[in-house]
């Protein structure tokens, strides 16, 4: 029998299949047995590429980090200042997380040894230091932005309300008379809330930056 032109299994194929499974069914759906079945291979063959299921999930999480645009932190940055660069990065970061919300708990653990996640952290920190933030402050800025973006991707505020007017009796909740409408406007409300919060956060950082410059100067 002729050998297949392409190998049956590859690291990329395992990661893509696992990511699709997590997106569709959640982290609990991933097992080496299930992945092997989805890929049409024997379970032991996975171990030629990954030693454990956790290694697979780490690689899947890193594939999401790799989707985040970092071009705004490259040298020159098309004339973008640190604030604009942070804004554009946060929007791209959130978009990647929102596309794969079931992987946010893995990503929230931190970059660990994941290459794409480490490149992301390095790019943000380096850009802040280059812009004039002291190293300790640059670390805080990167951490703060990560907390905000991760939190915004963990769930939907608007989606947490039910489309049932009777659930919000004005005698019990006098200010929630329109809350039943929120779920139907979920995407618009959540996007607007993210943008409002991001701009407020950047406004505060800009004030802090000026204070730091005065002290450092």
């Amino acid at each position: 029998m002729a050998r297949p032109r392409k190998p049956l299994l590859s690291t990329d194929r395992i990661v893509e299949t696992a990511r699709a499974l997590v997106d569709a069914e959640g982290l609990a759906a991933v097992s080496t047995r299930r992945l092997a079945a989805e890929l049409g291979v024997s379970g032991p063959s996975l171990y030629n590429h990954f030693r454990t299921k956790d290694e697979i999930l780490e690689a899947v999480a890193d594939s999401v980090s790799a989707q985040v645009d970092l071009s705004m932190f490259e040298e020159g940055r098309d004339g973008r200042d640190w604030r604009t660069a942070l804004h554009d990065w946060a929007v791209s970061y959130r978009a990647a997380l929102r596309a794969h919300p079931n992987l946010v708990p893995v990503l929230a653990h931190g970059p660990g040894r994941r290459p794409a996640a480490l490149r992301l952290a390095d790019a943000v920190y380096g850009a802040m230091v280059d812009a004039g933030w002291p190293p300790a402050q640059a670390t805080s800025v990167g951490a703060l932005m990560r907390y905000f973006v991760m939190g915004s991707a963990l769930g939907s505020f608007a989606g947490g309300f039910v489309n049932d007017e009777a659930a919000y009796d004005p005698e019990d909740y006098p200010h929630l008379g329109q809350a039943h409408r929120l779920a139907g406007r979920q995407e618009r409300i959540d996007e607007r809330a993210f943008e409002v919060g991001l701009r407020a956060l950047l406004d505060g950082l800009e004030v802090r930056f000026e204070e730091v410059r005065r002290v450092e100067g």
Side-chain angles (χ1 to χ4, degrees):
M1 182 180 294
R3 297 180 64 183
R5 294 182 180 179
K6 294 182 180 180
L8 290 175
L9 207 55
S10 68
T11 298
D12 287 345
R13 187 170 171 230
I14 294 170
V15 169
E16 289 169 5
T17 302
R19 186 174 60 228
L21 191 56
V22 174
D23 286 344
E25 301 181 31
L27 291 167
V30 178
S31 68
T32 53
R33 178 178 297 180
R34 176 71 185 278
L35 272 177
E38 294 285 333
L39 290 161
V41 299
S42 64
S45 63
L46 295 175
Y47 298 114
N48 293 324
H49 302 271
F50 295 99
R51 291 176 297 178
T52 65
K53 184 186 81 169
D54 287 342
E55 279 194 4
I56 295 173
L57 290 177
E58 286 288 299
V60 172
D62 211 37
S63 74
V64 174
S65 294
Q67 296 173 13
V68 181
D69 183 13
L70 299 177
S71 64
M72 66 287 295
F73 298 126
E74 294 172 359
E75 188 174 354
R77 299 194 296 275
D78 300 325
R80 283 179 278 199
D81 59 14
W82 67 265
R83 175 185 171 131
T84 305
L86 270 185
H87 174 277
D88 295 348
W89 166 74
V91 170
S92 176
Y93 193 10
R94 180 173 181 268
L97 298 183
R98 293 278 286 178
H100 308 282
N102 291 335
L103 281 161
V104 173
V106 180
L107 290 160
H109 290 159
R113 299 177 183 271
R114 299 193 298 269
L118 288 169
R119 284 192 293 272
L120 187 156
D122 181 74
V124 176
Y125 174 78
M128 295 306 100
V129 171
D130 289 346
W133 285 92
Q137 296 285 339
T139 299
S140 296
V141 170
L144 173 62
M145 295 299 295
R146 183 172 171 275
Y147 298 153
F148 176 72
V149 176
M150 284 280 183
S152 73
L154 279 173
S156 166
F157 170 79
F161 293 87
V162 297
N163 187 18
D164 179 5
E165 188 174 2
Y168 307 104
D169 190 323
E171 291 188 6
D172 295 321
Y173 316 107
H175 305 296
L176 296 181
Q178 300 300 310
H180 63 285
R181 300 178 183 273
L182 294 177
R185 304 172 184 176
Q186 176 178 332
E187 184 173 352
R188 183 172 63 180
I189 291 170
D190 290 345
E191 290 293 331
R192 185 172 61 197
F194 174 75
E195 191 62 33
V196 168
L198 179 57
R199 290 187 181 278
L201 187 58
L202 292 172
D203 285 345
L205 286 176
E206 197 159 27
V207 171
R208 178 60 181 160
F209 185 62
E210 292 305 317
E211 293 173 351
V212 168
R213 287 172 64 93
R214 283 197 296 271
V215 172
E216 294 289 318

